[in-house]
Amino acid sequence: MQGIEKEEMIRGRFERIIRDAQTRICAAVEEEDGGGTFREDAWARPGGGGGVSRVMQGGKTWEKAGVGVSVVYGTMPPEAYRAAKGHTSSNGANGASNGASGGVPFFAAGISSVMHPHNPFAPTMHFNYRYFETEEWNGIPGQWWFGGGTDITPSYVNEEDMKHFHGTYKRVCDNHDPAYYPKFKQWADDYFLCKHRNQRRGLGGIFFDDLNDRPQDEILAFSTEALGAVIDSYLPLVQKHKNDAFTEQQKEWQQMRRGLYVEYNLVYDRGTTFGLKTAGRIESILMSLPLTARWEYCPPVDPTSPEAQLVDACTNPRTWA
């Protein structure tokens, strides 16, 4: 790892960035909603650190929207370390095995959000940006990395919307490395796969993790710009569709797609897994879940319908930008 002064500088800078982003994004969402307000809960983690969760429920535009910031530290079990690194084997990354004793000293700061609009033609959006580091432990050198991304989950395919959303993040990526967008777009398509359904939970975006292949300042700058693009990439889509007319059948389809969203978050999401394994605050960890969802037994889908078009796009990822 780099020197202590450098580590603390990155920690403090990233924490200020995510706290500022939480304030700006919540203010923009409240303004667009035109009726709902965020409830704020500050919480402390017994092992060290804490966070601030802001959640809007039953708004005019959003059924549920949450933006949470957490800054936690202390020690974590080896299995939580493996979850953070994306390894599930007991012989996980870098020797973090069940044979090693004690907890792994760590620091983690992040901002995460999921927003579920009422209207089935307005998409759900998720973002998460985080910085993570560990200290030397049982002979394993200390490490640092950045992770995160922003992705979109509509119930219906709108090509113009997807070109806007993906185009926004392609421009952000290109500002830092032309190789970023194709790499991180593919990573999102692979990561957000609900394997037991053989479908992505949505239409992707960008995703990256364990990013430490260049100076911290460079990755911090990229993460900051990507986080700053959330408002411009997403709110115009909600504004465009929040008053669209829809049928009861279209609302039910949205609820079933939310069911798949719930399945993915509880079974595959690394952030959820890490939070549960580090005794995190349950309300904050499960903030991403919608107020309502639906599971039908073997629901029929007309192969010529807009619903089938969405399933196809989630099964066979497309190039949008």
Side-chain angles (χ1 to χ4, degrees):
M1 296 179 72
Q2 301 185 28
I4 294 297
E5 291 183 1
K6 181 69 171 177
E7 291 172 15
E8 292 178 345
M9 183 176 71
I10 290 293
R11 288 182 180 189
R13 288 165 63 189
F14 188 75
E15 180 177 349
R16 287 192 295 273
I17 287 165
I18 60 178
R19 291 191 186 279
D20 177 66
Q22 183 185 42
T23 298
R24 289 186 294 102
I25 292 169
C26 287
V29 169
E30 284 187 348
E31 182 178 359
E32 184 62 47
D33 188 87
T37 58
F38 282 90
R39 165 182 169 175
E40 178 176 296
D41 291 314
W43 53 273
R45 176 179 175 270
V52 176
S53 297
R54 295 178 181 172
V55 178
M56 174 196 296
Q57 293 186 164
K60 185 177 178 181
T61 297
W62 279 275
E63 179 180 284
K64 185 179 181 185
V67 185
V69 163
S70 64
V71 180
V72 297
Y73 48 84
T75 60
M76 60 181 171
E79 60 268 23
Y81 176 81
R82 292 192 294 271
K85 292 290 289 179
H87 295 269
T88 56
S89 168
S90 60
N91 296 313
N94 304 302
S97 66
N98 287 340
S101 61
V104 184
F106 80 101
F107 170 89
I111 181 171
S112 62
S113 172
V114 178
M115 300 188 186
H116 299 286
H118 289 290
N119 196 298
F121 293 107
T124 285
M125 183 275 301
H126 158 262
F127 71 81
N128 175 280
Y129 293 90
R130 57 191 175 275
Y131 172 71
F132 203 105
E133 63 183 38
T134 62
E135 298 177 16
E136 189 279 334
W137 171 76
N138 280 288
I140 304 170
Q143 301 180 62
W144 62 264
W145 65 91
F146 288 84
T150 308
D151 64 283
I152 200 81
T153 305
S155 299
Y156 290 92
V157 178
N158 184 300
E159 292 195 14
E160 184 179 276
D161 292 352
M162 293 306 100
K163 288 178 180 178
H164 169 81
F165 180 82
H166 280 267
T168 300
Y169 284 98
K170 183 179 187 302
R171 288 189 293 274
V172 170
C173 289
D174 288 350
N175 286 340
H176 297 267
D177 188 333
Y180 269 179
Y181 178 74
K183 177 181 179 180
F184 296 159
K185 193 268 186 189
Q186 182 64 55
W187 204 335
D189 289 339
D190 293 340
Y191 178 75
F192 293 110
L193 175 65
C194 194
K195 296 176 184 178
H196 61 275
R197 299 282 189 184
N198 192 32
Q199 287 184 44
R200 281 81 192 162
R201 74 178 187 188
L203 300 185
I206 60 168
F207 179 82
F208 59 95
D209 215 346
D210 305 325
L211 199 62
N212 60 2
D213 61 345
R214 57 193 71 194
Q216 287 179 318
D217 283 344
E218 293 184 19
I219 306 176
L220 178 65
F222 167 64
S223 299
T224 301
E225 186 173 351
L227 175 57
V230 165
I231 293 172
D232 291 339
S233 68
Y234 176 59
L235 291 193
L237 307 185
V238 177
Q239 184 178 54
K240 178 180 175 182
H241 295 293
K242 65 181 183 180
N243 295 318
D244 286 0
F246 59 87
T247 67
E248 182 178 347
Q249 180 184 10
Q250 289 163 337
K251 183 66 178 177
E252 290 178 355
W253 174 251
Q254 178 200 49
Q255 299 295 292
M256 286 189 285
R257 298 308 299 182
R258 285 184 179 172
L260 186 144
Y261 201 97
V262 171
E263 291 174 22
Y264 178 86
N265 279 28
L266 294 181
V267 177
Y268 301 107
D269 185 77
R270 278 171 64 173
T272 302
T273 302
F274 173 76
L276 294 174
K277 289 182 182 295
T278 55
R281 182 175 184 260
I282 293 300
E283 291 296 336
S284 298
I285 296 168
L286 301 183
M287 179 181 69
S288 64
L289 302 184
L291 282 184
T292 59
R294 185 181 182 96
W295 286 267
E296 290 189 14
Y297 181 74
C298 295
V301 178
D302 180 348
T304 65
S305 67
E307 289 79 11
Q309 184 184 11
L310 186 278
V311 172
D312 179 74
C314 291
T315 306
N316 304 293
R318 303 177 186 178
T319 300
W320 304 102

